[in-house]
Amino acid sequence: MADVEEKSVQDELSLPILLADRLIKSAQVAESSKSDCAELAKQADRLSQKLRSAVRLSVSSTPHSLYDRPLRRISADVYKNLERALTLVRKCKHSGVLRQVGHPAVQVFAIAATADFRKVSGLLESSIADVTWLLSIFENSDSGGGATLSLPPIASNDPILAMLWSSIASVQMGQLRDRIDAANNLASLARDNDRNKKMIVEEGGVVPLLKLLKEGASAEAQIAAAAALSNLGSDQERVRFIAGELAVPMIVKVLADSPIKVFNCFVF
């Protein structure tokens, strides 16, 4: 069976944007908890605007230049949170049969609804912060601002993930100085432990490093990329993965044309 073709970044982002628009429209016809629904609609609108900025950024990028791994992960998480918010808002379209003021069931329902709105609002705020962070790593790459050091909520339980995303984005999309610094950072992280090595590979760090090595923009850039790749290639599985990216003939050619310092970086 053929592999399912991955959606384009624009298609990926269009899903939460459409969901945000539905949430806003549903909030406008809410018959109960109107103020709470209106607040969720405001958050959805903020999210929609930021997601549209991400779409514009992706459209303006040259093919294959955009590091889309965090974008896809965050987009999926935003969709999930918006879906939960939309479900809650739709429950407010009909005010229901429990109308008697002071009725115990009404009071319990009101308390539960307030808690639900508070929780969902928190999820949307986290999504807004995630997309804001996402835009910042792309803007920093374009402007030469280096890797983003802040931590998005989506990576709050695993800060290394945010560091990897930011560094890989800089290697793939940044200015030369930032690419070198980010490659050195990945080399350091890969040297620390096997989990970091596995995550760098899984999060798409190999191809940008190979590209930096191949371009030969400077000996320093090649050394940084070679050091990171060498640190990643400490077991056979990762070596096979790197080789699967057509790295072997490219590395051989680079080594033939590069200073001895680049050659010395490769130990696998």
Side-chain angles (χ1 to χ4, degrees):
M1 182 181 294
D3 292 337
V4 177
E5 185 176 351
E6 190 174 44
K7 293 178 183 177
S8 70
V9 168
Q10 291 79 21
D11 287 342
E12 193 81 41
L13 291 169
S14 69
L15 297 176
I17 290 173
L18 289 172
L19 207 57
D21 290 343
R22 290 175 190 166
L23 192 157
I24 293 168
K25 291 177 181 177
S26 292
Q28 292 170 348
V29 296
E31 296 178 9
S32 62
S33 302
K34 291 184 179 181
S35 61
D36 290 324
C37 290
E39 285 302 314
L40 293 187
K42 289 179 182 178
Q43 290 176 300
D45 183 60
R46 288 166 60 198
L47 256 179
S48 178
Q49 295 303 319
K50 290 181 179 295
L51 290 167
R52 292 175 196 277
S53 294
V55 170
R56 288 192 291 271
L57 186 150
S58 67
V59 170
S60 64
S61 300
T62 56
H64 308 299
S65 68
L66 184 72
Y67 176 55
D68 63 357
R69 190 63 59 95
L71 187 152
R72 292 181 185 277
R73 184 86 65 85
I74 288 173
S75 177
D77 196 68
V78 169
Y79 184 89
K80 180 180 66 176
N81 290 340
L82 281 169
E83 196 171 38
R84 185 167 178 175
L86 178 59
T87 298
L88 181 59
V89 169
R90 281 177 170 169
K91 290 180 180 178
C92 300
K93 186 174 182 180
H94 303 292
S95 55
V97 295
L98 299 176
R99 296 175 180 273
Q100 184 179 347
V101 178
H103 191 288
V106 174
Q107 294 175 340
V108 171
F109 176 80
I111 293 171
T114 299
D116 287 342
F117 275 106
R118 187 180 298 116
K119 186 170 185 177
V120 169
S121 178
L123 292 174
L124 293 185
E125 280 300 323
S126 292
S127 288
I128 291 169
D130 284 335
V131 180
T132 300
W133 178 87
L134 180 69
L135 293 172
S136 74
I137 68 169
F138 293 147
E139 290 166 358
N140 282 353
S141 295
D142 287 341
S143 64
T148 301
L149 300 179
S150 58
L151 182 66
I154 196 172
S156 59
N157 293 326
D158 194 358
I160 290 295
L161 181 61
M163 293 176 62
L164 295 182
W165 279 345
S166 182
S167 294
I168 295 171
S170 289
V171 173
Q172 181 159 328
M173 302 164 52
Q175 305 298 320
L176 181 59
R177 181 69 258 167
D178 295 331
R179 296 175 74 192
I180 293 170
D181 290 343
N184 283 327
N185 188 40
L186 290 175
S188 177
L189 289 169
R191 189 167 55 246
D192 286 345
N193 58 65
D194 283 341
R195 180 175 183 269
N196 288 353
K197 295 173 186 178
K198 182 180 179 182
M199 289 178 67
I200 291 170
V201 171
E202 290 177 346
E203 297 304 323
V206 170
V207 171
L209 288 168
L210 288 172
K211 184 172 183 288
L212 182 61
L213 179 68
K214 180 181 179 181
E215 287 173 354
S218 71
E220 186 181 7
Q222 288 187 309
I223 290 169
L229 290 166
S230 177
N231 289 347
L232 289 175
S234 61
D235 71 15
Q236 290 301 313
E237 182 179 351
R238 282 190 293 273
V239 169
R240 283 194 294 270
F241 181 88
I242 294 171
E245 297 293 337
L246 303 179
V248 173
M250 187 269 287
I251 290 175
V252 170
K253 183 178 186 307
V254 168
L255 293 180
D257 300 335
S258 300
I260 190 65
K261 289 182 179 179
V262 177
F263 180 86
N264 289 339
C265 289
F266 284 100
V267 294
F268 56 80

